[in-house]
Each structure stands twice: as C-alpha cells, then as structure tokens.
Amino acid sequence: MNTRSVAAQGRGRARRAADSTAVEAGARAGFGARGVIYALVGALALQIAFSGGGGRQADRGGAIAEIAEQPFGRIVLWLLGIALVGMALWRLSEALFGQAGPDGAKPTKRAMAAGRCVFYGFAAYSVLSFAAGESGSGGGSSDQQSQDITAKVLGWPGGQWIVGVGGAAIAAAGIWIAVRAIMRKYHKHLKTAEMSQRVRRVLDFTGVFGGSARGAVFATAGGFAVAAAVKHEPDQSKGMDDTLRSFTDTPVGPWLLVVIALGLVAFGVFSWFNARYRKV
C-alpha cells in the first residue's frame, strides 16, 4: 500500500467522521448553547436599561457568572462548554471539507468556518475554565480585555493601523450580519420545508430582529475600536458590556438599549431554531 492510498484512506475516514451523527449532534448542541448565552446577555442588558444592572455585565462573562450562581450552575456550565466544543468541531469539519449546500466548498466559506472554529473554541475554553473554577478565565470583563488588547497592540510598530483596520473589519462584519439577516439569507441553511407557516413566521421575526440587533452591536464595537486607533486611547475601545451601555447615551435614552436587548434575546431564540432545523 503506497503513501498516496494511505493518505486517501485517511482523508476518507476524516470525511466520514465529519459527516457522522456525533458531529451533527455537537453542532445542534452548540447552537442551543449559543442561544442560552445570547438570551442571558439580552436579559442582563434589559436589567441595565431599567436599573443599571446592579453591577452585572451584559456579555458572555456576565452570562457565565449568572449561570454559575444558580442551583446546579456549574453542571450547566460544563454542559454548555461541551456543547460549544461540539460547535467548534463542526465548524472545523466545514473548514476542512466544506459546508452543506452546492457552494459550501468555496475557499471563502471554508475560511469563514475556520474563523468561527477559532471563535467557538475560545468560547468553549472560557466557559469550561470558569466551570473548572478558574473564574478569571471565563467571567472576566469583556471591556477590560478589549482595552488591554488594544493598549498592547497600540504599543506595536504600526499599532494604530492594526487596531484601526481591525475595528473597521469588525464594523463591516456587523453591517454584513445585519444586512444578511434582513435579506433572510439564513433560509438556505435551514430546513424550511419542515416548518409550519406559523413556525416560519416566528423564525423570520427572530432571525431578522435578532440578526439586526447582533449586527448593530458588532458594528458599534468596531466603531469604538476605530476611535481608539484614531485617538491612540485604549480606553475608547469597548467590549460588549460597554458597547451595550453606550446605547443609553442617545437622545432616546435607555429605550434603544431595550430594543437591542430584546433583539439579542430574539437571536438566542433564533439559535434554538438553528439547533432544530439547521442543515448540518
């Protein structure tokens, strides 16, 4: 048996593993976990809008801390972390072998899947670290982390350009997320034929509203990063918590934050629809 045939057999086994029921179950569990986190972040943002939040953070760290305070919270965190590992592995399989659908093997889609694999891998690590007792890993402030990273990068040669380009990319990604949600691009990834008309209406409400709110948060956070680069002030950079709080500094007061917060809850529900109907 030559080296080429061994390599082909290895690729075949890897492909079959990527198409396995276990990987599909991991992806669906990951969407469910993502839904829980976004719904909690939205609920925390609502508390901030109406009462200041009582010191709670409206970000992943705040959601993790909120879960940990509940009965059996650590067990729930372990389950969420493992589910996010499943999501990361599914995204890895998409990066290696392509997504479901006729154009799923495009290099751009595989590259995006690789980026999502890294993102969900980090999210899983932060949740599991917190579940294991390393509270500083998963429950840290996204605002402080963002400012620390920005300060470090601004100290590099060409750091202002790096932060500025990175912030512009995040802002563009936010706009892209919102536009795709409004255009209902998510339909091609879902088994809409299996949905009743009522389910599809709820899906579209949560998909459009939730995706638009999520995109607005990303776009605003990217704008703050660009401001930090232009002014060379790391404190201008904001994580999700401070980004959400910034929506209260508008002429409509806290009501814009209420809309965004409800949108994040809606995105959590939309994630649960993905857990049930996603083409994996």
Side-chain angles (χ1 to χ4, degrees):
M1 186 178 293
N2 58 36
T3 304
R4 184 174 298 176
S5 63
V6 171
Q9 287 184 7
R11 286 193 297 271
R13 292 193 189 99
R15 180 66 188 180
R16 287 192 294 274
D19 292 335
S20 69
T21 303
V23 171
E24 178 180 348
R28 298 193 187 284
F31 279 114
R34 186 182 76 175
V36 170
I37 291 172
Y38 267 97
L40 277 173
V41 170
L44 290 168
L46 281 173
Q47 291 182 27
I48 290 171
F50 290 117
S51 62
R56 290 180 172 87
Q57 299 166 208
D59 54 18
R60 186 175 64 240
I64 292 171
E66 190 74 12
I67 293 170
E69 292 175 0
Q70 307 307 313
F72 307 107
R74 295 285 175 177
I75 295 175
V76 174
L77 287 179
W78 279 108
L79 293 174
L80 288 176
I82 293 169
L84 290 171
V85 169
M87 174 72 93
L89 291 176
W90 173 57
R91 291 300 190 183
L92 176 61
S93 74
E94 287 190 326
L96 294 175
F97 305 110
Q99 303 177 11
D103 60 346
K106 286 183 177 180
T108 52
K109 289 186 177 293
R110 294 173 70 168
M112 289 172 62
R116 287 166 175 158
C117 172
V118 173
F119 173 81
Y120 284 111
F122 175 77
Y125 170 77
S126 65
V127 174
L128 291 173
S129 296
F130 196 92
E134 299 177 20
S135 59
S137 298
S141 167
S142 61
D143 305 316
Q144 189 60 53
Q145 291 171 359
S146 178
Q147 291 171 10
D148 289 346
I149 292 171
T150 302
K152 184 174 182 179
V153 175
L154 284 176
W156 296 350
Q160 277 185 282
W161 282 102
I162 295 173
V163 173
V165 171
I170 293 171
I175 295 170
W176 180 78
I177 289 169
V179 169
R180 285 180 64 84
I182 293 169
M183 295 176 67
R184 295 173 171 81
K185 291 290 188 179
Y186 51 79
H187 277 180
K188 64 182 179 181
H189 298 299
L190 299 172
K191 301 174 184 177
T192 53
E194 297 180 8
M195 302 177 188
S196 67
Q197 189 174 9
R198 181 180 179 183
V199 168
R200 190 178 296 190
R201 283 199 298 267
V202 178
L203 165 76
D204 280 336
F205 174 77
T206 59
V208 174
F209 183 30
S212 299
R214 181 173 179 243
V217 173
F218 273 81
T220 304
F224 283 126
V226 172
V230 171
K231 298 179 181 179
H232 207 282
E233 295 179 4
D235 290 349
Q236 293 289 321
S237 182
K238 299 181 187 296
M240 177 173 277
D241 180 63
D242 270 353
T243 298
L244 288 169
R245 290 176 189 272
S246 71
F247 288 115
T248 63
D249 300 326
T250 64
V252 295
W255 294 108
L256 180 57
L257 176 56
V258 170
V259 173
I260 296 294
L262 291 173
L264 294 179
V265 174
F267 186 77
V269 176
F270 176 71
S271 296
W272 295 330
F273 276 114
N274 275 265
R276 168 63 178 85
Y277 293 105
R278 182 82 179 205
K279 295 175 183 177
V280 179

